[in-house]
Amino acid sequence: MTKKFQFQNQAEVARAIAKYPEGRQASAVLALLDLAQRENQQTHHVTDEAITTIATTLSMPEIRVREVASFFTMINLKPVGKYHLQLCGTTPCMLCGAQQIKQVIMDNLDISEGETSNDGMFTLTEVECLGACVNAPIVQINDDYYEDITPEIMKNLITDMKNDNLPNPGSCVGRLNSAPAGVTQTVKRKV
């Protein structure tokens, strides 16, 4: 007998459902899929049991939950590593070196696209546009964007992840938001 999935944070489930009017609770499906995935700290994916629980909770057919889950790339239906590296492969990132970044990841982690490392730490997925084209190439690591990536920066990020010590997300070259290349942030310090 398979273990039934139960949400750890029932208050968050109730809050997500309460955002929608009576009879429209199914609109909370994406929020509950995301919550189920975040609560799965072992494999960082939505299990079949979680899909069944979500369908029951929202009084909707299980196939509808699966349709939503399979449509959004942010929902993982298979286990992923502790660090899910989602590399943008669309034209701006490709033109700015995404393929070289991908090769660095594959060489340094001994994985191919769509695979998880043997230690379960890393998964590489090529995704469509991440919407930060001006700072291409971009790698989304879990929930955070790392922008203006170069092969050397990617090697350093891999080392940091192996040591569980990721730097702050954003431009890896200090670019100020989406300013032209070379315009960097200045940190104002309190005196």
Side-chain angles (χ1 to χ4, degrees), residues 46-190:
V46 177
T47 63
D48 289 340
E49 295 80 15
I51 288 174
T52 300
T53 298
I54 292 167
T56 302
T57 302
L58 298 176
S59 301
M60 62 189 292
E62 192 173 313
I63 189 65
R64 297 286 182 229
V65 177
R66 288 185 186 282
E67 287 172 345
V68 173
S70 64
F71 179 79
F72 289 96
T73 58
M74 66 187 246
I75 303 299
N76 304 310
L77 294 173
K78 302 186 311 187
V80 296
K82 177 178 181 178
Y83 295 107
H84 189 188
L85 286 71
Q86 298 172 80
L87 175 66
C88 181
T90 50
T91 305
C93 285
M94 186 213 25
L95 290 173
C96 291
Q99 289 306 312
Q100 291 86 354
I101 304 303
K102 185 177 186 178
Q103 195 62 52
V104 165
I105 294 168
M106 293 189 311
D107 291 348
N108 282 269
L109 298 176
D110 195 30
I111 58 175
S112 294
E113 199 268 320
E115 292 182 346
T116 299
S117 59
N118 289 334
D119 60 6
M121 288 284 289
F122 303 95
T123 299
L124 172 60
T125 305
E126 186 171 323
V127 296
E128 293 302 315
C129 185
L130 291 172
C133 306
V134 72
N135 294 3
I138 307 215
V139 176
Q140 180 178 343
I141 302 173
N142 299 338
D143 289 336
D144 296 319
Y145 281 18
Y146 290 82
E147 306 164 352
D148 300 308
I149 302 290
T150 65
E152 188 60 36
I153 288 170
M154 192 68 239
K155 286 180 194 174
N156 292 337
L157 285 172
I158 290 170
T159 300
D160 291 339
M161 286 182 278
K162 286 180 177 179
N163 293 319
D164 282 329
N165 188 29
L166 266 175
N168 290 330
S171 174
C172 292
V173 296
R175 183 195 305 240
L176 178 60
N177 303 321
S178 58
V183 177
T184 58
Q185 301 186 104
T186 56
V187 178
K188 294 183 179 180
R189 298 179 183 212
K190 293 183 179 180

